Amino acid sequence: MTSNDFRLERNVELSAETREIAERELRETPERVREALERLRELLKENKDLYFGDDDEILTIFLRPCKWYPESALALMRRVAEFKKENACLLDGLLPEHEINSFLEHKVVNVLKGRDHKGRRVLIVNVGGSWDPKKVTADQLFRLFYLIHEAAMLEPESQVRGTIVVMDFHNMGWSQTMGLTPSFSKRLLTFIQDAMPLRLKEVHFVKEPMIFNVVWKMFKPLIREKLKNRIFFHGSKMSSLHKHLEPSHLPADYGGELPTIDYSGAEWYPVINEVLPHIHKWNTYGFAKNT
């Protein structure tokens, strides 16, 4: 296993194939990019209650999921600011070091080393028996998810191709069920649906037991149609998962052809720590502070 297995693909030119996807799905052309960047900068100057960086990298993070419509990107910025304000108790000044124990000692969140067959990043969230809510609370679980998204948003390929989430409920019991509180459900879904500047393409629930229905009853009323159409349930049938994620790009844990996962968030922690300057800046973004 080399260090290249765990790295961010930041400041990388889009591949030719990804450029085609960007143009086809996101309306991305050189002329439209220039115009959108210029217009979004103007809108930020006009909306003085918002404070965000105005360099190309930051603006592109918001423009790509909004298909290069500046007004939509500004609306996304405003929703991000609202979310950060409403969840300040969890997110204010959040740094990777604050959750170092959760990353290093507990195998709750993980990112597959490679991308899937469509070039998408795959986040694994283990909320079954391997998760002890007394050691990693639901709030901490969300903070881990948030820190990972801060890193993922920096990858141009991920901005265009999107991301996948696999929720693994293997050996889920009452302690995990009770750990996924209504407040956590509401916060997570608000974030995903309103305030995450990434293209979430699919969410796959795997190995969910009967007790999972208790959790689903909490989640279901909060899920809007767009996200609902991207959620898939597979139980223990990995052949069902393979209709969406090809076995050639999946580990044996999910019936794939790749080796069983032998790494965790511990290997990804240094990668996220490498983008501390970005995380520090991100912590200052949102509603402008009164001076």
Side-chain angles (χ1 to χ4, degrees):
M1 188 181 296
T2 69
S3 60
N4 281 338
D5 287 327
F6 306 98
R7 62 185 177 88
L8 279 183
E9 297 166 353
R10 185 182 183 184
N11 300 322
V12 176
E13 287 289 326
L14 296 179
S15 67
E17 183 183 1
T18 306
R19 283 199 301 272
E20 290 180 12
I21 295 172
E23 184 170 357
R24 182 175 66 250
E25 297 184 9
L26 306 181
R27 307 168 57 254
E28 185 168 324
T29 63
E31 182 180 6
R32 190 167 284 132
V33 167
R34 286 193 300 272
E35 292 174 353
L37 289 169
E38 182 179 347
R39 178 58 181 150
L40 185 51
R41 285 194 183 93
E42 292 173 357
L43 289 170
L44 274 177
K45 289 177 181 177
E46 295 168 8
N47 288 262
K48 299 185 185 302
D49 64 324
L50 290 178
Y51 174 73
F52 285 88
D54 66 353
D55 57 279
D56 286 1
E57 183 178 48
I58 290 297
L59 298 185
T60 297
I61 285 170
F62 290 96
L63 283 162
R64 275 195 170 127
C66 295
K67 300 184 178 181
W68 295 94
Y69 289 109
E71 290 77 12
S72 298
L74 184 78
L76 176 56
M77 287 176 158
R78 190 167 291 280
R79 293 196 301 274
V80 168
E82 284 286 355
F83 186 83
K84 293 183 71 175
K85 179 181 178 181
E86 291 172 2
N87 296 277
C89 59
L90 289 183
L91 302 180
D92 264 8
L94 176 61
L95 299 174
E97 65 187 55
H98 298 151
E99 291 298 338
I100 186 170
N101 187 60
S102 301
F103 271 112
L104 301 186
E105 303 297 330
H106 303 281
K107 297 182 178 181
V108 183
V109 295
N110 202 355
V111 178
L112 294 188
K113 290 188 291 187
R115 296 174 179 271
D116 78 346
H117 66 291
K118 293 185 178 179
R120 304 171 296 189
R121 282 287 191 193
V122 181
L123 172 69
I124 308 291
V125 184
N126 294 304
V127 282
S130 61
W131 174 43
D132 185 345
K134 293 180 180 178
K135 295 179 179 178
V136 179
T137 66
D139 284 348
Q140 289 178 290
L141 182 62
F142 180 80
R143 280 155 62 99
L144 291 173
F145 190 89
Y146 193 85
L147 286 164
I148 290 170
H149 113 279
E150 285 186 285
M153 69 171 70
L154 294 171
E155 296 188 308
E157 290 280 327
S158 297
Q159 292 168 6
V160 174
R161 292 180 178 265
T163 58
I164 302 294
V165 174
V166 174
M167 300 285 291
D168 189 335
F169 295 91
H170 181 60
N171 283 339
M172 182 185 200
W174 270 113
S175 62
Q176 291 81 25
T177 304
M178 300 305 291
L180 295 173
T181 61
S183 61
F184 168 81
S185 305
K186 184 176 186 298
R187 180 182 296 115
L188 178 63
L189 287 169
T190 300
F191 174 62
I192 288 174
Q193 296 182 117
D194 295 329
M196 187 174 75
L198 277 169
R199 305 182 73 200
L200 179 59
K201 304 298 289 183
E202 297 168 5
V203 179
H204 297 282
F205 291 171
V206 301
K207 306 177 187 178
E208 65 273 27
M210 288 296 294
I211 201 172
F212 166 78
N213 292 329
V214 176
V215 175
W216 181 240
K217 285 179 181 177
M218 272 191 309
F219 275 79
K220 191 174 180 180
L222 303 171
I223 300 175
R224 295 199 287 269
E225 200 64 26
K226 181 179 179 181
L227 179 58
K228 194 176 295 183
N229 292 333
R230 298 182 179 188
I231 295 177
F232 304 92
F233 303 87
H234 306 290
S236 59
K237 297 178 181 177
M238 293 303 104
S239 59
S240 173
L241 176 66
H242 297 166
K243 293 176 182 177
H244 304 270
L245 302 175
E246 291 187 1
S248 57
H249 290 69
L250 280 174
D253 310 68
Y254 302 106
E257 299 168 10
L258 300 178
T260 301
I261 295 174
D262 62 353
Y263 54 93
S264 68
E267 279 75 20
W268 285 106
Y269 177 79
V271 178
I272 295 173
N273 222 32
E274 284 176 5
V275 297
L276 266 180
H278 161 70
I279 292 175
H280 278 294
K281 286 181 181 178
W282 192 261
N283 283 339
T284 68
Y285 298 158
F287 288 118
K289 302 290 189 293
N290 293 326
T291 55

Coordinates of all heavy atoms in Angstrom, one line a residue, residues 68-105:
W68 N -23.3 26.3 -13.2 CA -22.7 27.6 -13.7 C -23.7 28.7 -13.7 O -23.5 29.7 -14.5 CB -21.9 27.4 -15.0 CG -20.7 26.6 -14.7 CD1 -20.6 25.2 -15.0 CD2 -19.4 26.9 -14.2 NE1 -19.4 24.8 -14.6 CE2 -18.6 25.8 -14.1 CE3 -18.9 28.2 -13.7 CZ2 -17.3 25.8 -13.6 CZ3 -17.6 28.2 -13.2 CH2 -16.8 27.0 -13.1
Y69 N -24.8 28.6 -13.0 CA -25.7 29.7 -12.8 C -25.3 30.5 -11.6 O -25.5 30.0 -10.5 CB -27.2 29.2 -12.7 CG -27.8 28.6 -13.9 CD1 -28.0 27.2 -14.0 CD2 -28.2 29.4 -15.0 CE1 -28.5 26.6 -15.2 CE2 -28.7 28.8 -16.1 CZ -28.9 27.5 -16.2 OH -29.5 26.9 -17.4
P70 N -24.8 31.7 -11.8 CA -24.3 32.5 -10.7 C -25.3 32.8 -9.6 O -25.0 32.7 -8.4 CB -23.9 33.8 -11.3 CG -23.6 33.5 -12.7 CD -24.6 32.4 -13.1
E71 N -26.6 33.0 -9.9 CA -27.6 33.3 -8.9 C -27.9 32.1 -8.1 O -28.1 32.2 -6.9 CB -28.9 33.8 -9.6 CG -28.8 35.2 -10.2 CD -28.0 35.2 -11.6 OE1 -27.8 34.1 -12.1 OE2 -27.7 36.3 -12.1
S72 N -27.9 30.9 -8.7 CA -28.1 29.7 -8.0 C -26.9 29.4 -7.0 O -27.1 28.9 -5.9 CB -28.3 28.5 -8.9 OG -29.4 28.7 -9.7
A73 N -25.7 29.7 -7.5 CA -24.5 29.5 -6.7 C -24.6 30.4 -5.5 O -24.2 30.0 -4.3 CB -23.2 29.8 -7.5
L74 N -25.0 31.7 -5.6 CA -25.1 32.6 -4.5 C -26.2 32.1 -3.5 O -26.0 32.1 -2.3 CB -25.5 34.0 -5.0 CG -25.6 35.0 -3.9 CD1 -24.2 35.5 -3.5 CD2 -26.4 36.2 -4.3
A75 N -27.3 31.5 -4.0 CA -28.3 31.0 -3.2 C -27.7 29.8 -2.3 O -28.1 29.6 -1.2 CB -29.5 30.5 -4.0
L76 N -26.9 29.0 -3.0 CA -26.2 27.9 -2.3 C -25.3 28.4 -1.2 O -25.3 27.9 -0.1 CB -25.5 27.0 -3.3 CG -24.6 25.9 -2.7 CD1 -25.5 24.9 -1.8 CD2 -23.9 25.1 -3.8
M77 N -24.6 29.5 -1.5 CA -23.7 30.1 -0.5 C -24.5 30.6 0.7 O -24.1 30.4 1.9 CB -23.0 31.3 -1.1 CG -21.9 30.9 -2.1 SD -21.1 32.4 -2.8 CE -19.5 31.8 -3.3
R78 N -25.7 31.1 0.4 CA -26.6 31.6 1.5 C -27.1 30.5 2.4 O -27.1 30.6 3.6 CB -27.7 32.4 0.9 CG -28.5 33.2 2.0 CD -29.5 34.2 1.3 NE -28.7 35.3 0.8 CZ -28.2 36.4 1.5 NH1 -28.4 36.4 2.8 NH2 -27.6 37.3 0.9
R79 N -27.4 29.3 1.7 CA -27.9 28.2 2.5 C -26.7 27.6 3.3 O -27.0 27.1 4.4 CB -28.4 27.1 1.5 CG -29.7 27.5 0.8 CD -30.4 26.3 0.2 NE -29.6 25.6 -0.8 CZ -29.5 25.9 -2.1 NH1 -30.2 27.0 -2.5 NH2 -28.8 25.2 -2.9
V80 N -25.5 27.6 2.8 CA -24.3 27.2 3.5 C -24.2 28.0 4.8 O -23.9 27.6 5.9 CB -23.1 27.2 2.7 CG1 -21.8 27.0 3.5 CG2 -23.1 26.0 1.6
A81 N -24.3 29.4 4.6 CA -24.1 30.3 5.7 C -25.2 30.0 6.7 O -24.9 30.0 8.0 CB -24.2 31.7 5.2
E82 N -26.5 29.8 6.3 CA -27.6 29.5 7.2 C -27.3 28.2 8.0 O -27.5 28.2 9.2 CB -28.9 29.4 6.5 CG -29.5 30.7 6.0 CD -30.1 31.5 7.1 OE1 -30.2 30.9 8.3 OE2 -30.6 32.6 6.9
F83 N -26.8 27.2 7.3 CA -26.5 25.9 8.0 C -25.4 26.1 9.0 O -25.5 25.5 10.1 CB -26.2 24.9 6.9 CG -26.0 23.5 7.5 CD1 -27.1 22.7 7.7 CD2 -24.8 23.0 7.9 CE1 -27.0 21.4 8.3 CE2 -24.6 21.8 8.5 CZ -25.8 21.0 8.6
K84 N -24.4 26.8 8.6 CA -23.3 27.0 9.6 C -23.7 27.8 10.8 O -23.3 27.5 11.9 CB -22.1 27.7 8.9 CG -21.4 26.9 7.8 CD -20.3 27.6 7.2 CE -19.1 27.7 8.2 NZ -17.9 28.3 7.6
K85 N -24.6 28.8 10.6 CA -25.1 29.6 11.7 C -26.0 28.7 12.6 O -25.8 28.7 13.9 CB -25.9 30.7 11.2 CG -26.5 31.6 12.2 CD -27.3 32.8 11.6 CE -28.0 33.6 12.7 NZ -28.8 34.7 12.0
E86 N -26.9 27.9 12.0 CA -27.8 27.1 12.8 C -27.1 25.9 13.6 O -27.6 25.4 14.6 CB -28.9 26.5 11.9 CG -29.8 27.5 11.4 CD -30.8 27.0 10.3 OE1 -30.7 25.7 10.0 OE2 -31.6 27.7 9.7
N87 N -25.9 25.5 13.1 CA -25.1 24.4 13.7 C -23.8 24.9 14.2 O -22.8 24.1 14.2 CB -25.0 23.3 12.7 CG -26.3 22.7 12.3 OD1 -26.8 21.8 13.0 ND2 -26.9 23.1 11.2
A88 N -23.7 26.2 14.6 CA -22.5 26.7 15.1 C -21.9 25.9 16.3 O -20.7 25.8 16.4 CB -22.7 28.2 15.5
C89 N -22.8 25.4 17.1 CA -22.3 24.6 18.3 C -21.4 23.4 17.8 O -20.5 23.0 18.6 CB -23.4 24.2 19.1 SG -24.6 23.1 18.3
L90 N -21.7 22.9 16.6 CA -20.9 21.8 16.2 C -19.8 22.1 15.2 O -18.7 21.5 15.1 CB -21.8 20.8 15.4 CG -22.8 19.9 16.3 CD1 -23.5 19.0 15.4 CD2 -22.1 19.2 17.4
L91 N -20.0 23.2 14.5 CA -19.1 23.5 13.3 C -18.1 24.7 13.5 O -17.1 24.8 12.8 CB -19.9 23.8 12.1 CG -20.9 22.6 11.7 CD1 -21.7 23.0 10.4 CD2 -20.1 21.3 11.5
D92 N -18.4 25.6 14.4 CA -17.6 26.7 14.6 C -16.1 26.3 14.9 O -15.9 25.6 15.9 CB -18.1 27.6 15.7 CG -18.9 28.8 15.2 OD1 -19.2 28.8 14.0 OD2 -19.3 29.7 16.0
G93 N -15.2 26.7 14.1 CA -13.8 26.4 14.4 C -13.4 25.0 14.3 O -12.3 24.6 14.7
L94 N -14.3 24.2 13.7 CA -14.0 22.7 13.6 C -12.7 22.4 12.8 O -12.6 22.9 11.6 CB -15.2 22.0 12.9 CG -15.0 20.5 12.7 CD1 -14.8 19.7 14.0 CD2 -16.3 19.9 12.0
L95 N -11.8 21.6 13.3 CA -10.6 21.2 12.7 C -10.4 19.7 12.8 O -11.0 19.1 13.7 CB -9.4 21.9 13.4 CG -9.3 23.4 13.3 CD1 -8.1 23.9 14.2 CD2 -9.2 23.9 11.9
P96 N -9.7 19.1 11.9 CA -9.5 17.6 12.0 C -9.0 17.1 13.3 O -9.4 16.1 13.8 CB -8.5 17.4 10.9 CG -8.7 18.5 9.9 CD -9.0 19.7 10.7
E97 N -8.1 17.9 14.0 CA -7.6 17.5 15.2 C -8.6 17.3 16.3 O -8.4 16.6 17.3 CB -6.5 18.5 15.7 CG -7.0 19.9 16.0 CD -5.9 20.9 16.3 OE1 -5.0 21.0 15.5 OE2 -6.0 21.5 17.4
H98 N -9.7 18.0 16.2 CA -10.8 17.9 17.2 C -11.5 16.6 17.1 O -12.1 16.1 18.1 CB -11.8 19.0 17.0 CG -11.3 20.4 17.1 ND1 -11.8 21.5 16.5 CD2 -10.3 20.9 17.9 CE1 -11.1 22.6 16.8 NE2 -10.2 22.2 17.6
E99 N -11.4 15.9 16.0 CA -11.9 14.5 15.9 C -10.9 13.5 15.6 O -11.2 12.4 15.0 CB -13.0 14.5 14.8 CG -14.3 15.3 15.2 CD -15.0 14.8 16.4 OE1 -14.8 13.6 16.8 OE2 -15.7 15.5 17.1
I100 N -9.7 13.7 16.0 CA -8.6 12.8 15.7 C -8.8 11.4 16.2 O -8.5 10.4 15.6 CB -7.2 13.4 16.2 CG1 -6.1 12.5 15.7 CG2 -7.2 13.6 17.7 CD1 -4.7 13.1 15.9
N101 N -9.3 11.3 17.4 CA -9.6 10.0 18.0 C -10.6 9.3 17.2 O -10.5 8.1 17.0 CB -10.0 10.2 19.5 CG -10.1 8.8 20.2 OD1 -9.2 8.1 20.3 ND2 -11.3 8.5 20.7
S102 N -11.7 10.0 16.8 CA -12.7 9.3 16.0 C -12.2 8.8 14.7 O -12.5 7.7 14.2 CB -13.9 10.3 15.7 OG -14.4 10.8 16.9
F103 N -11.3 9.6 14.1 CA -10.6 9.1 12.8 C -9.7 7.9 13.0 O -9.7 7.0 12.3 CB -9.8 10.3 12.2 CG -10.6 11.2 11.3 CD1 -10.8 12.5 11.6 CD2 -11.0 10.7 10.1 CE1 -11.5 13.4 10.8 CE2 -11.7 11.6 9.2 CZ -12.0 12.9 9.6
L104 N -8.9 8.0 14.1 CA -7.8 7.0 14.2 C -8.2 5.8 14.9 O -7.7 4.7 14.6 CB -6.6 7.7 15.0 CG -6.0 8.9 14.4 CD1 -4.7 9.3 15.2 CD2 -5.6 8.6 12.9
E105 N -9.1 5.9 15.9 CA -9.5 4.7 16.7 C -10.7 4.0 16.4 O -11.0 2.9 16.8 CB -9.5 5.2 18.2 CG -8.3 5.9 18.7 CD -7.1 5.0 18.7 OE1 -7.2 3.8 18.9 OE2 -5.9 5.5 18.5

